[in-house]
Amino acid sequence: MNHDLNVLLVEDDDIDFMSIVRSFKKRKILNKITRAIDGVHALELLREETITKPFIVLLDLQMPRMSGLEFLDTIRNDDMLNDIVIFVLTTSDNEQDIVKSYKKHIAGYFLKDRVSDQFLDVVDVLDGYWRILQLPKG
């Protein structure tokens, strides 16, 4: 993976957060991961420019205070943030959630349930994508 690429992980569950970080380490992906515990926290970090560019967002949908779909609505309606590359990583296999997410221009939708035993495969896919991805630096 491009080691200059930062990751904002929007995840309220501690166990899921630790599993994701552990999977990245197993694949020797050493990019900086910043955690936001929900959409409100993530927006604060983004608006304060705590996350340096280039970066991508890994987003859970099921969170307190501001759900992932509410976060997507807010981001896509914000002229300063609407071009952020976002991948959804969630337990929701609800077709409406999938459709709503893609309508908000996400880069991909991954189910945690399906990837629990195969999460390293998902990490490999993300790693391959990020190796060839070109993002603006500023």
Side-chain angles (χ1 to χ4, degrees):
M1 179 190 273
N2 176 352
H3 293 294
D4 294 333
L5 182 67
N6 293 305
V7 177
L8 174 58
L9 178 55
V10 188
E11 175 59 67
D12 64 314
D13 186 277
D14 292 338
I15 293 172
D16 286 348
F17 170 72
M18 292 185 312
S19 295
I20 293 165
V21 169
R22 194 172 22 252
S23 295
F24 275 55
K25 286 181 181 177
K26 280 184 182 178
R27 288 298 195 239
K28 296 183 179 30
I29 298 172
L30 306 175
N31 298 65
K32 180 180 177 188
I33 298 174
T34 302
R35 180 186 183 191
I37 57 170
D38 60 29
V40 172
H41 185 210
L43 284 172
E44 290 169 1
L45 294 173
L46 292 169
R47 288 183 173 144
E48 294 168 2
E49 297 183 353
T50 303
I51 311 300
T52 56
K53 291 185 176 182
F55 66 88
I56 58 96
V57 175
L58 295 179
L59 176 68
D60 186 15
L61 293 185
Q62 311 298 323
M63 295 180 294
R65 292 200 304 168
M66 177 185 277
S67 73
L69 289 173
E70 292 169 324
F71 174 81
L72 285 169
D73 283 337
T74 303
I75 289 289
R76 295 308 184 219
N77 289 310
D78 184 318
D79 290 338
M80 299 301 293
L81 303 173
N82 64 11
D83 61 346
I84 294 173
V85 175
I86 300 172
F87 292 88
V88 171
L89 182 59
T90 186
T91 57
S92 174
D93 63 357
N94 181 304
E95 186 67 20
Q96 287 183 335
D97 286 346
I98 296 168
V99 169
K100 287 178 184 177
S101 296
Y102 277 108
K103 283 186 177 182
K104 297 296 177 189
H105 310 290
I106 62 164
Y109 194 103
F110 299 100
L111 291 176
K112 290 180 193 174
D113 288 350
R114 290 191 188 159
V115 298
S116 57
D117 293 333
Q118 304 162 343
F119 190 70
L120 291 176
D121 291 340
V122 171
V123 172
D124 289 341
V125 167
L126 291 172
D127 186 35
Y129 180 84
W130 294 335
R131 285 179 192 272
I132 60 172
L133 180 67
Q134 294 297 312
L135 291 172
K137 298 223 182 243

